[in-house]
């Protein structure tokens, strides 16, 4: 077997221990990934060790290497190794491989010739033990898309029906507290805005979106039957205000750290303290579903709201007196077969799930991996794959009820 090992300087010793187990084995350090793209050498598999480093890996220069290998006609094995990424029996999350784990898990569902798997190991394992583990997983790679090793035991995830436990924690907003909803001018964000006004009596809402809106003095010129993006957002804000809430709108990009921080400072000075966050912002690439056809630029566009944007948002609100920080994720980030055609979206949501488990805040930080909502969002999913998982679709009423229980 000819194998390419993606490594960092930190994981180089481990990479070299794996070399003797393969007929041909090349090791490439992260800063030299471009060399592989210039090479015409063909490999039968990849072992990605970069997630075993403690430094967070946010670059996408490895994506094209995976794409080229998958695009070949011969069978391919892809094995991603991370260290302490999973929260299972692990108190300190290492986010180093959080951006790539979701991709490795789902690729074998999108391409029949690909066998792919994400394996998470413990800190402080001996290199010899890790080497044996990796070789075993690589040569025996099968249907398990996700594996976790703890105390030398091999675990795989499964779905189990469970009941939500009751809690006496009450969510309340005073008249001067602000609820922030990203992606709040459409879909699930708009549903949440209306729900929090009616259910929790929220008096001040800050909605974030990408569309630039005209000054409020010009809103009257947009007729009720106007279906433009601007008009729809104005009509939503007018509807929310008719319930007795004050609504502000912000179009500053989530990835713009400096301007977003300044905008929040102005909001908290003039409008009120941000006391809760519902992060609904997200994008889906409907034009290029195939992973091998996606570009780094298009993938970045999908990742931005849920990866860099999420981190910038959290940094800017680090000193705010939050009651909760809720993230709207997708079930496709957990079930690989549901991520087919949405590899970048699965990557983004998977990162967000891991990020939420890594936070140690005085308030809950929760990523909700929603199933399909039939009344809003991306609409009802009716595929056989989805139905065979035993998953139902939610109405808006059912969705906000579950959100209330989670809160």
């Amino acid at each position: 077997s000819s194998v390419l090992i993606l490594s960092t300087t930190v994981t180089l010793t481990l990479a070299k221990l794996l070399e003797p187990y393969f007929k041909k084995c090349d090791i490439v350090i992260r800063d030299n990934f471009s060399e592989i793209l210039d090479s015409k050498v063909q490999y039968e598999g990849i072992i990605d060790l970069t997630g075993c480093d403690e430094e967070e890996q946010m670059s996408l220069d490895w994506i094209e290497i995976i794409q080229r290998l998958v695009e070949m006609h011969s069978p391919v094995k892809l094995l991603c190794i991370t260290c302490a990424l999973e929260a299972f029996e692990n108190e300190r999350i290492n986010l180093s491989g959080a951006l790539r784990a979701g991709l490795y898990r789902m690729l074998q569902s999108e391409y029949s010739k690909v066998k792919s798997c994400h394996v998470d190991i413990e800190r402080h394992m001996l290199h010899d033990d890790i080497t044996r583990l990796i070789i075993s997983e690589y040569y025996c790679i099968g249907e398990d898309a996700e594996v976790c090793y703890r105390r030398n035991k091999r675990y795989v995830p499964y779905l189990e029906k469970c009941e939500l436990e009751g809690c006496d924690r009450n969510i309340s907003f005073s008249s001067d507290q602000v609820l922030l909803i990203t992606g709040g001018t459409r879909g699930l964000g708009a549903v949440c805005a209306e729900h929090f006004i009616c259910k929790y009596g929220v008096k001040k809402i800050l909605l974030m979106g990408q569309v630039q809106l005209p000054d409020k003095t010009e809103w009257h010129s947009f007729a009720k039957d106007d279906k433009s993006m601007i008009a729809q957002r104005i009509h939503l804000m007018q509807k929310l205000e008719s319930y007795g809430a004050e609504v502000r709108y912000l179009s500053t990009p989530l990835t713009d750290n400096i301007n977003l921080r300044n905008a929040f400072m102005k909001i908290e000075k003039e409008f009120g303290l941000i006391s809760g966050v519902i992060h609904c912002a997200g994008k889906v690439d409907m034009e290029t579903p195939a992973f091998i056809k996606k570009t780094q630029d298009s993938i970045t566009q999908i990742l931005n709201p849920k990866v860099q944007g999420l981190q910038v948002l959290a940094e800017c609100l680090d000193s705010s007196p939050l009651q909760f920080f809720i993230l709207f994720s997708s079930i496709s980030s957990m079930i690989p077969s549901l991520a087919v055609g949405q590899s970048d979206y699965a990557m983004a949501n998977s990162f967000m799930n891991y990020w939420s488990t890594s936070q140690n805040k005085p308030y809950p930080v929760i990523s909700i991996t929603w199933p399909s909502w039939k009344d809003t969002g991306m609409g009802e999913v009716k595929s056989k794959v989805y139905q065979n998982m035993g998953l139902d679709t939610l109405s808006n009423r059912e969705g906000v009820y579950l959100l209330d229980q989670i809160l």
Side-chain angles (χ1 to χ4, degrees):
S1 180
S2 57
V3 172
L4 175 65
I5 299 179
L6 306 183
S7 180
T8 69
T9 54
V10 172
T11 63
L12 185 57
T13 300
L14 175 59
K16 290 182 176 179
L17 287 173
L18 294 170
E19 269 188 295
Y21 291 90
F22 302 100
K23 180 180 179 180
K24 176 178 175 54
C25 180
D26 290 336
I27 300 171
V28 60
I29 301 298
R30 185 177 62 220
D31 294 337
N32 301 324
F33 283 175
S34 59
E35 295 178 4
I36 294 300
L37 298 175
D38 297 332
S39 170
K40 295 184 178 180
V41 178
Q42 295 186 348
Y43 300 95
E44 297 169 27
I46 286 179
I47 299 176
D48 189 339
L49 301 179
T50 55
C52 293
D53 201 328
E54 289 283 340
E55 182 181 342
E56 207 167 318
Q57 315 294 326
M58 302 306 292
S59 171
L60 297 179
D61 53 1
W62 54 281
I63 290 281
E64 192 174 347
I65 299 174
I66 305 295
Q67 287 175 316
R68 287 196 182 183
L69 197 60
V70 171
E71 200 169 9
M72 292 167 50
H73 296 294
S74 55
V76 174
K77 290 184 177 182
L78 304 173
L79 186 63
C80 171
I81 311 295
T82 59
C83 180
L85 175 60
E86 298 292 343
F88 178 62
E89 296 187 2
N90 174 27
E91 295 182 356
R92 185 165 62 90
I93 307 298
N94 171 25
L95 287 175
S96 178
L99 191 58
R100 57 191 68 208
L103 177 65
Y104 279 96
R105 284 199 297 268
M106 64 73 59
L107 280 176
Q108 68 176 357
S109 294
E110 184 164 326
Y111 297 97
S112 59
K113 67 178 181 179
V114 173
K115 291 295 184 183
S116 61
C117 181
H118 162 228
V119 178
D120 190 52
I121 61 175
E122 291 183 284
R123 286 185 177 89
H124 314 305
M125 285 183 69
L126 298 176
H127 273 174
D128 287 345
D129 292 336
I130 299 175
T131 301
R132 285 192 293 270
L133 179 157
I134 292 174
I135 296 303
S136 174
E137 290 292 341
Y138 182 83
Y139 280 114
C140 299
I141 194 168
E143 296 303 316
D144 293 333
E146 185 175 3
V147 177
C148 182
Y149 280 88
R150 297 293 185 264
R151 303 183 315 279
N152 294 319
K153 291 184 179 180
R154 186 180 190 271
Y155 296 88
V156 294
Y158 63 95
L159 293 177
E160 182 180 52
K161 184 178 179 179
C162 61
E163 301 296 331
L164 285 171
E165 297 180 2
C167 177
D168 59 0
R169 185 173 183 272
N170 293 317
I171 300 294
S172 63
F173 281 76
S174 63
S175 59
D176 60 344
Q177 290 180 314
V178 178
L179 172 64
L180 166 63
I181 304 179
T182 68
T185 59
R186 59 188 176 88
L188 301 184
V191 171
C192 289
E194 184 173 347
H195 177 68
F196 270 76
I197 292 172
C198 298
K199 169 79 176 183
Y200 297 102
V202 173
K203 297 299 183 184
K204 294 184 177 181
I205 286 190
L206 173 62
L207 303 180
M208 291 189 67
Q210 291 184 294
V211 178
Q212 293 276 352
L213 297 185
D215 188 85
K216 198 168 184 177
T217 57
E218 302 176 31
W219 286 10
H220 67 278
S221 62
F222 290 85
K224 292 288 185 182
D225 58 350
D226 189 338
K227 301 298 182 182
S228 68
M229 292 177 64
I230 292 178
Q232 289 179 9
R233 283 149 179 78
I234 290 174
H235 296 158
L236 168 68
M237 296 175 70
Q238 290 173 330
K239 179 182 179 181
L240 297 177
E241 289 180 335
S242 72
Y243 295 141
E246 292 183 70
V247 183
R248 294 284 182 94
Y249 179 75
L250 191 62
S251 60
T252 306
L254 285 170
T255 53
D256 188 343
N257 195 322
I258 295 176
N259 286 326
L260 188 61
R261 190 179 296 275
N262 290 337
F264 284 158
M265 288 174 62
K266 183 178 180 181
I267 286 290
E268 296 202 327
K269 181 179 180 180
E270 299 177 355
F271 193 45
L273 294 177
I274 297 174
S275 302
V277 178
I278 301 180
H279 184 45
C280 298
K283 294 181 179 180
V284 177
D285 181 2
M286 304 299 290
E287 296 182 2
T288 312
F291 165 70
I292 59 175
K293 300 298 184 182
K294 293 180 183 291
T295 66
Q296 282 195 36
D297 287 341
S298 71
I299 293 174
T300 299
Q301 289 298 312
I302 305 303
L303 297 181
N304 272 344
K306 295 175 181 284
V307 181
Q308 184 185 356
L310 168 63
Q311 294 174 300
V312 170
L313 179 65
E315 290 173 11
C316 291
L317 295 173
D318 191 52
S319 60
S320 298
L322 301 182
Q323 299 183 63
F324 55 81
F325 198 127
I326 301 295
L327 315 176
F328 275 30
S329 180
S330 166
I331 193 67
S332 65
S333 65
M334 298 183 68
I335 302 178
S337 58
L338 298 180
V340 173
Q342 297 183 355
S343 53
D344 41 10
Y345 188 65
M347 287 174 65
N349 283 297
S350 182
F351 176 88
M352 199 159 62
N353 298 344
Y354 286 125
W355 183 87
S356 69
T357 64
S358 72
Q359 300 303 294
N360 183 21
K361 301 291 185 182
Y363 48 84
V365 180
I366 303 171
S367 185
I368 306 174
T369 52
W370 289 112
S372 166
W373 289 50
K374 58 188 174 186
D375 299 331
T376 189
M378 298 178 191
E380 185 173 7
V381 176
K382 298 181 179 180
S383 68
K384 285 291 184 183
V385 175
Y386 186 87
Q387 293 174 359
N388 289 340
M389 292 304 303
L391 296 168
D392 202 355
T393 56
L394 303 175
S395 65
N396 287 350
R397 183 177 179 181
E398 291 166 333
V400 295
Y401 169 79
L402 289 172
L403 178 58
D404 289 338
Q405 301 307 303
I406 293 168
L407 284 170

